[in-house]
Amino acid sequence: MNRREIAALLAYIGRLDPRLIRTTEREAADQLDRWHELLGDVPSTTPHGWDARVAARQHIRTSPYQIVPADVACPWESYRRDRLARHSDPTPSANPDDQAAWTAELVSTRHAVAVGTAQPAQARAITSGQDEIDPRLEERLRKVGSCIPPAARAALAPYRRARAAREAAVAQGQPDALSVRCERCQAQPGEPCRRRRIGPDGGVRATTPRATPHPSRLDLAAARQNSQTEQVRQPLMA
């Protein structure tokens, strides 16, 4: 803000909080000098959401203490940090072999975002929208069907026996036992059943994952699957 903008800000604050008003010309000039020294690098407004008057008004509304320049400067620094945190550097248009030009463009873009003259450039997820998916990626996902390729899944099966057994059961049309809570070992949905290891004193020393679910859990999953199937079938038969 230049001196004229600082003077306008002080006049606005004075209307909201008369304690800031200075009655003599010398006091007003000294106040203007101090505020300009501390807020000279803070803009009055930006095209994207910053307004020094709003920051001042918010302080006067919520604090019983008389406003000082820091009460405007601190919200401005928070505004800068928030915008830079949401910014992902786009690829500069400069020649990457020209390191000086490449760096200068990055710095210029970040500065424009920080001071509120440009909007943050946010990284776009590859699956953020159906219309934005790369056709080559869509084709590959259709062929693979999973983020883990079939060959890798088969190689991992000996080390993930519970998951492999679950996937094999679902592929054969059997109920997914891990979709329900196990009443015997208290395993939560999605977690494998566990086997208790009993010590010489008869107490439970530890538990280890089972490769297959408890039969009672499988029965519960089958009953739930049948119930869901029946609920879907009834409207169709009506």
Side-chain angles (χ1 to χ4, degrees), residues 64 73 106 115 127 205 215:
L106 280 177
V115 300
T127 58
R205 288 293 185 87

Side-chain angles (χ1 to χ4, degrees), residues 13-145:
I13 295 173
R15 291 198 300 270
L16 300 180
D17 185 358
R19 293 176 297 176
L20 200 70
I21 297 176
R22 297 297 179 261
T23 57
T24 68
E25 184 175 345
R26 182 172 181 178
E27 289 178 343
D30 290 343
Q31 182 188 56
L32 178 60
D33 289 340
R34 289 195 306 271
W35 280 65
H36 182 253
E37 177 67 22
L38 296 171
L39 299 179
D41 60 343
V42 177
S44 175
T45 60
T46 69
H48 302 293
W50 166 257
D51 191 325
R53 293 176 302 175
V54 173
R57 180 175 178 273
Q58 180 65 16
H59 173 81
I60 295 171
R61 286 184 63 247
T62 59
S63 174
Y65 301 105
Q66 183 174 332
I67 189 170
V68 296
D71 297 320
V72 177
C74 287
W76 165 247
E77 294 301 328
S78 298
Y79 173 87
R80 285 166 50 90
R81 287 194 299 269
D82 175 70
R83 291 177 63 79
L84 287 175
R86 293 186 286 112
H87 176 66
S88 298
D89 291 318
T91 303
S93 58
N95 186 348
D97 294 330
D98 187 345
Q99 184 62 43
W102 181 277
T103 303
E105 186 172 340
L106 280 177
V107 171
S108 175
T109 302
R110 291 181 185 179
H111 177 72
V113 171
V115 300
T117 58
Q119 286 286 52
Q122 299 189 17
R124 185 178 64 187
I126 60 175
T127 58
S128 60
Q130 199 68 24
D131 297 335
E132 300 174 357
I133 298 179
D134 189 319
R136 294 171 298 178
L137 174 62
E138 188 175 18
E139 177 65 17
R140 181 170 178 79
L141 288 174
R142 186 186 63 79
K143 290 181 179 180
V144 174

Side-chain angles (χ1 to χ4, degrees), residues 161-162 182 184-187 191-198 204-214 217:
R161 293 181 298 169
C182 182
R184 179 169 178 177
C185 66
Q186 310 303 316
E191 297 180 357
C193 289
R194 304 190 70 85
R195 180 185 294 106
R196 296 181 179 180
R197 296 179 60 184
I198 308 299
V204 178
R205 288 293 185 87
T207 61
T208 57
R210 288 171 50 100
T212 57
H214 286 111
R217 189 178 192 181

